[in-house]
Amino acid sequence: MSENTTHPYENIAHPEKNPKQAALQLVVELVRAGKLSPLQGDASNMLSIYEQFKTHFEQDSQ
């Protein structure tokens, strides 16, 4: 095993410290899990979900 191996959760953004990155990662994971499809409709749905998560994380950090 390589000495440079990172823990799989090491690069996950903390919502309070980086709400934009955390929201983006959450949307990506929803797509990977098949809970959100980029093929249904246009991108406005995915952008709306991202904005809702980002706003939520920003409010929690205050």
Side-chain angles (χ1 to χ4, degrees):
M1 187 172 235
S2 171
E3 291 181 29
N4 294 330
T5 304
T6 59
H7 192 276
Y9 300 110
E10 192 171 305
N11 295 325
I12 295 176
H14 193 282
E16 290 179 3
K17 294 179 182 177
N18 196 340
K20 292 178 182 179
Q21 185 66 29
L24 178 60
Q25 288 176 338
L26 187 49
V27 170
V28 168
E29 289 304 319
L30 287 170
V31 170
R32 286 181 179 166
K35 303 295 181 184
L36 184 62
S37 175
L39 303 177
Q40 294 175 342
D42 58 17
S44 63
N45 182 45
M46 291 178 65
L47 292 171
S48 173
I49 292 169
Y50 163 79
E51 288 294 331
Q52 290 175 51
F53 284 133
K54 181 177 70 74
T55 299
H56 176 75
F57 293 151
E58 289 171 340
Q59 289 173 351
D60 279 355
S61 66
Q62 295 177 358

